[in-house]
Amino acid sequence: MQKHWFIKQMPSSEKIQAMINDLKVSPIMASLLTQRNLTTLPQIRSFFTPEITDLHDPLLMLNMSRAVERLDRAIETKERILIFGDYDVDGTTSVALVYSVLKDFASVDFYIPDRYEEGYGLSYKGIDTALEKGCKLLIALDCGIKEVEKVKYANEKGLDIIICDHHNPGSEIPDCIVLDPKQAGCEYPFKELCGCGVGFKLLQAWFSKTGKDIEKLYNYLDLVAIAIGADIVPVTGENRILCKHGIQRMNENPRAGILALVEQAQRSFPLDLSNVVFTIAPRINAAGRLKSGSRAVELLLAESKEEAKKIALEIDEYNSERRILDAQTTLEALEIIAQDELFSNRKSTVVFQSDWHKGVVGIVASRLIEHHYRPTIVLTESKGEATGSARSVSGFNVYEAITSCEHLLTQYGGHQHAAGLTLPLENITLFREHFDAYVQENIQPLDEVEDLVIDLEIAASNLFLSGESAHQVPRIYRMLEQMEPFGPGNDKPVFCIRNAYASKQRILKEAHLKFDLVDPLSGIELSAIGFNMADKADLIASGCAFDCAFTLESNTWQNRTTLQIQVRDIRETL
């Protein structure tokens, strides 16, 4: 799929030289920092070493004082509390966080709804379970913001609810204590917390009110970091602080469940946010997709290595099954698209098949966007209705597009980039038409082609200082590591070398392109890998000069670590 290359404007030579003189950094690092508007020493210090003390006062969040008072009263009067959370990574880490902290002070249980029997969000079964257990308070994490009727049901039964959510509210807010920085009237300065982040702020406020040792709460920041990575929220502002410290604690003292997952995946420490997103998160998610999200919580709560290892093995098997279902469903969806004569006239993708596994439709939507870069919805049948997941392309708000079709829906929720929805089977065709009509009218031409944002155009020699070898890991790579965690809002720097050519090219596992990139100016050769880029083999084998966009990685083989570039795209030099 063709990408649109967007090369950022190079900072002025005066700004770069001033940065080099003041901070004694390389020209590449000076350019990257300037592009991110990090030009003063306090800004740079705050970026590289964000302080946990810079977190916002949680009492700035609307209804936080009420939430803390209600939680404190429940603990003081020894009320039983049910911790309820969504079955995805954000929900299960939220539950593990709040349960782990409160179990030392109160009588608590946790509950994760069944994806297939109860569906997304606060459930009647969950509320009834709380009542059966004699709970007087339910804390709903990563869900609840649109559950007006279910909260009303709980109120009638005498069950109080605190909602900790981060999704977009509907037109009516549930009649309970709601914590959500996106709700109207909330002046909390950072709006992009994940669900686990909102749960953390509730605990932070309670610790502050009751004078407890806040350092003990910080020991659970690894769970918040996992949620931030998995939920693809911006890794800026408060999220960067939480994530940076969370990953640090994960590496210094990994909990038994994370250690077991890493060993099961045959990975090693230290971990970065990319490892969290591609190694830990899919496995935690697999439990809720194919079995029960409760199993993921039990893994995160495990105290013994033996228990953690047993659950991690089970979850890894779920993940293997998930990958098979994912691949099979993606192929079937692509076949449906190929047979659709009207597809070329649309600007969106909506596919439905009644027997697809509900647990993988979100992943498949993302896979389809890799083939057809459009806002995409994948639907299956569950309990006599169509239900599924939406994923968007950069710059287009899929939640607003779905909202425009709400008259055809039974239920929906989400945010700009991802959403879930349920609708009557007989409405699928009409929904597809209405959804596409909204996309046709509102999507911008530049949003229809995937952007590849390139930070700097360089020569290979720029990567190495005097005396450094291309077979070593250069100092610039070590500096880039300090810019972690990378994610939305702080993307890993992408570089471009023009007029390059390739040597020693080959295809690995019939999918991945491996070659040495040869810089035309210096003759320096860089080991390169392009995952799922076998289609570019003919271009680089032709001998034609090409432009290569890439990120810097390291590769360890037989106890030797070398520099490797991970190719993001290749195009023929014009």
Side-chain angles (χ1 to χ4, degrees):
M1 183 171 61
Q2 187 65 40
K3 297 180 181 179
H4 171 252
W5 287 27
F6 174 82
I7 301 178
K8 291 183 181 179
Q9 184 175 355
M10 188 73 170
S12 69
S13 57
E14 291 81 6
K15 287 184 177 180
I16 293 175
Q17 192 59 52
M19 183 80 73
I20 293 172
N21 295 340
D22 292 343
L23 301 178
K24 311 302 184 208
V25 295
S26 69
I28 287 180
M29 185 57 64
S31 299
L32 293 174
L33 293 175
T34 305
Q35 285 176 337
R36 284 163 167 75
N37 294 317
L38 301 171
T39 56
T40 68
L41 198 55
Q43 288 174 329
I44 293 168
R45 184 180 293 115
S46 178
F47 177 78
F48 282 105
T49 56
E51 297 291 341
I52 198 75
T53 52
D54 289 335
L55 291 174
H56 300 302
D57 180 355
L59 292 175
L60 294 173
M61 192 175 295
L62 183 65
N63 297 323
M64 183 62 80
S65 295
R66 290 176 60 206
V68 171
E69 185 279 327
R70 183 62 187 92
L71 174 60
D72 198 42
R73 176 155 51 91
I75 293 172
E76 288 296 317
T77 58
K78 299 185 176 1
E79 292 178 353
R80 198 166 186 83
I81 304 171
L82 184 71
I83 313 300
F84 183 106
D86 187 28
Y87 39 67
D88 69 358
V89 178
D90 194 6
T92 52
T93 52
S94 298
V95 169
L97 166 71
V98 177
Y99 179 88
S100 295
V101 173
L102 293 187
K103 69 181 174 60
D104 291 334
F105 305 100
S107 176
V108 292
D109 293 294
F110 71 83
Y111 187 93
I112 304 292
D114 184 279
R115 179 188 288 263
Y116 308 100
E117 293 301 317
E118 299 164 76
Y120 169 77
L122 187 60
S123 68
Y124 289 111
K125 185 176 178 181
I127 292 170
D128 289 341
T129 299
L131 295 168
E132 290 166 7
K133 291 178 175 290
C135 297
K136 296 296 183 182
L137 176 64
L138 182 151
I139 300 175
L141 298 156
D142 190 35
C143 61
I145 190 62
K146 301 180 84 173
E147 304 287 12
V148 174
E149 292 303 316
K150 290 168 187 171
V151 168
K152 186 181 298 183
Y153 173 79
N155 290 341
E156 292 170 352
K157 299 290 185 177
L159 178 67
D160 290 344
I161 294 181
I162 298 173
I163 288 174
C164 298
D165 206 347
H166 70 120
H167 296 100
N168 291 317
S171 57
E172 184 179 355
I173 300 295
D175 183 18
C176 64
I177 300 172
V178 175
L179 302 177
D180 186 333
K182 292 191 174 90
Q183 66 178 310
C186 183
E187 297 181 358
Y188 193 73
F190 188 72
K191 301 293 185 181
E192 300 300 332
L193 292 168
C194 60
C196 191
V198 178
F200 173 83
K201 300 306 291 189
L202 171 61
L203 295 174
Q204 183 190 6
W206 182 68
F207 265 59
S208 176
K209 179 184 184 297
T210 55
K212 290 181 172 54
D213 182 4
I214 196 69
E215 282 296 327
K216 292 183 178 179
L217 177 60
Y218 295 158
N219 288 331
Y220 297 96
L221 283 177
D222 59 330
L223 297 171
V224 184
I226 293 170
I228 288 170
D231 227 49
I232 321 179
V233 291
V235 189
T236 57
E238 196 162 41
N239 279 344
R240 179 170 175 81
I241 300 172
L242 294 168
C243 195
K244 184 95 170 179
H245 286 269
I247 289 178
Q248 180 180 332
R249 288 169 191 266
M250 187 188 306
N251 285 320
E252 291 174 350
N253 187 25
R255 64 183 58 241
I258 298 303
L259 186 61
L261 279 183
V262 172
E263 290 177 350
Q264 190 65 44
Q266 298 182 330
R267 296 291 188 267
S268 59
F269 290 90
L271 303 176
D272 58 23
L273 193 58
S274 178
N275 301 135
V276 169
V277 172
F278 295 107
T279 299
I280 295 176
R283 286 168 169 79
I284 294 175
N285 242 339
R289 291 185 186 280
L290 299 187
K291 199 70 174 178
S292 169
S294 296
R295 212 60 179 134
V297 177
E298 291 164 5
L299 175 70
L300 296 172
L301 296 177
E303 296 184 357
S304 72
K305 289 184 178 180
E306 293 73 20
E307 180 188 10
K309 187 174 181 179
K310 177 184 176 182
I311 302 174
L313 177 60
E314 180 184 322
I315 284 179
D316 197 61
E317 290 173 354
Y318 297 152
N319 191 51
S320 297
E321 183 181 350
R322 186 273 305 167
R323 293 173 68 178
I324 294 170
L325 285 169
D326 164 12
Q328 176 183 332
T329 306
T330 300
L331 287 174
E332 292 175 0
L334 288 170
E335 182 62 27
I336 290 173
I337 291 170
Q339 295 177 4
D340 184 355
E341 296 178 354
L342 300 177
F343 183 75
S344 60
N345 296 324
R346 299 194 185 104
K347 291 185 181 293
S348 65
T349 302
V350 179
V351 287
F352 165 78
Q353 188 159 297
S354 62
D355 62 350
W356 282 338
H357 198 289
K358 186 179 177 183
V360 301
V361 291
I363 304 172
V364 173
S366 297
R367 298 275 187 263
L368 295 183
I369 288 177
E370 294 173 6
H371 293 268
H372 304 284
Y373 194 70
R374 306 171 172 193
T376 297
I377 296 176
V378 179
L379 299 167
T380 186
E381 184 176 350
S382 177
K383 293 187 173 182
E385 290 194 294
T387 186
S389 293
R391 297 293 184 269
S392 193
V393 298
S394 178
F396 183 80
N397 193 319
V398 74
Y399 178 81
E400 291 182 355
I402 291 172
T403 301
S404 74
C405 307
E406 62 182 349
H407 60 289
L408 299 171
L409 306 176
T410 305
Q411 184 181 15
Y412 71 101
H415 46 77
Q416 176 174 346
H417 303 294
L421 65 161
T422 302
L423 64 155
L425 291 169
E426 60 269 22
N427 286 359
I428 292 175
T429 300
L430 195 56
F431 170 79
R432 181 186 286 114
E433 294 173 0
H434 277 256
F435 180 77
D436 190 68
Y438 181 93
V439 177
Q440 295 265 8
E441 185 175 342
N442 290 279
I443 197 166
Q444 300 300 310
L446 288 177
D447 294 334
E448 297 182 66
V449 181
E450 183 177 2
D451 272 338
L452 175 59
V453 178
I454 297 170
D455 293 85
L456 294 173
E457 182 180 334
I458 62 170
S461 57
N462 298 147
L463 298 172
F464 303 95
L465 298 176
S466 177
E468 289 184 333
S469 164
H471 301 294
Q472 299 173 323
V473 177
R475 182 172 178 266
I476 184 63
Y477 177 77
R478 304 299 185 196
M479 290 292 294
L480 292 177
E481 282 187 308
Q482 301 306 308
M483 296 176 69
E484 288 273 7
F486 292 119
N490 182 44
D491 292 316
K492 175 171 277 193
V494 178
F495 303 101
C496 168
I497 291 178
R498 295 192 183 275
N499 294 299
Y501 60 96
S503 68
K504 304 175 187 175
Q505 61 264 22
R506 58 195 185 278
I507 303 296
L508 305 179
K509 297 182 179 180
E510 301 182 354
H512 313 309
L513 181 61
K514 188 80 174 71
F515 63 98
D516 283 355
L517 181 144
V518 184
D519 180 69
L521 299 177
S522 61
I524 291 175
E525 296 186 7
L526 300 173
S527 176
I529 179 78
F531 293 108
N532 297 307
M533 297 184 72
D535 60 313
K536 301 289 187 180
D538 290 344
L539 170 60
I540 68 169
S542 68
C544 295
F546 59 87
D547 300 339
C548 183
F550 59 89
T551 58
L552 296 182
E553 315 288 340
S554 65
N555 182 45
T556 300
W557 174 252
Q558 295 181 341
N559 296 320
R560 182 169 174 259
T561 301
T562 57
L563 182 70
Q564 176 174 266
I565 66 172
Q566 185 168 319
V567 179
R568 297 288 302 277
D569 197 20
I570 295 173
R571 67 182 187 185
E572 186 175 352
T573 299
L574 300 178

